[in-house]
Amino acid sequence: MKNSIHFSVVLTVAVLLAASVAWAAPQPAKTAPQSVPPFPGTLVNARYVYVTSYDGDQFNINLFPEDRQAISTVQDAMQKWGKFTLVYEPNQADIVLMVTSRPSEDILAVYDARGWPQNQYLWRMMGRSGLQPGESPLVTNLEKAFTLATTK
């Protein structure tokens, strides 16, 4: 009798221990497919785009190298896409694209150049590794949103 009680206690402790370990183990992050927000119709006729970072332009010596690379990546993507003409002064732009690249998350936001930087963004997407050289899914999503807005 004593052995069966001892065995039951050990079995119960083992089951509880296994359950607590399984509960405490980090669960893989479940990321739902991110929907692409609609591009603002007020900007579909824009022709000139300026790309900068939330922390300064590409020539700012205090800019993080990751942000400088993100600016360059977006500029390259804009030139390859060919929809907009890249400008290097914000006062020459119709649209301002602001980027940030951090290990945790990248951001690409679209602003109307009139009233920038005081006004609110009109389109924005965020994602991990979204502005990497060669493959920049945030720019691809911008292109999709723009195409959808112009085909309506």
Side-chain angles (χ1 to χ4, degrees), residues 3 5 9-11 14 22 30 57 59 70 80 88 119 121-122:
N3 275 347
I5 292 175
V9 169
V10 169
L11 181 62
K30 294 180 181 177
D57 68 22
F59 304 110
K80 286 178 187 171
Y88 295 95
N119 57 356
Y121 65 84
L122 300 176

Side-chain angles (χ1 to χ4, degrees), residues 88-146:
Y88 295 95
E89 294 290 330
N91 61 350
Q92 298 172 339
D94 299 318
I95 293 177
V96 174
L97 301 180
M98 292 191 72
V99 300
T100 295
S101 183
R102 299 291 179 267
S104 60
E105 186 171 60
D106 292 348
I107 300 172
L108 172 62
V110 176
Y111 291 79
D112 186 336
R114 294 175 311 226
W116 174 83
Q118 290 82 19
N119 57 356
Q120 181 75 310
Y121 65 84
L122 300 176
W123 186 93
R124 181 173 79 162
M125 285 205 74
M126 301 174 289
R128 183 172 242 170
S129 301
L131 296 173
Q132 303 310 306
E135 182 181 347
S136 48
L138 296 181
V139 175
T140 302
N141 288 337
L142 171 64
E143 292 174 10
K144 288 179 187 175
F146 185 85

Side-chain angles (χ1 to χ4, degrees), residues 46-63:
R47 294 181 50 207
Y48 301 100
V49 63
Y50 173 70
V51 184
T52 188
S53 168
Y54 282 97
D55 294 326
D57 68 22
Q58 69 192 67
F59 304 110
N60 183 330
I61 61 170
N62 297 318
L63 190 64

Side-chain angles (χ1 to χ4, degrees), residues 34-50:
Q34 193 175 15
S35 65
V36 178
F39 192 83
T42 58
L43 299 179
V44 295
N45 293 322
R47 294 181 50 207
Y48 301 100
V49 63
Y50 173 70

Side-chain angles (χ1 to χ4, degrees), residues 1-6:
M1 180 83 166
K2 219 183 229 188
N3 275 347
S4 73
I5 292 175
H6 182 64

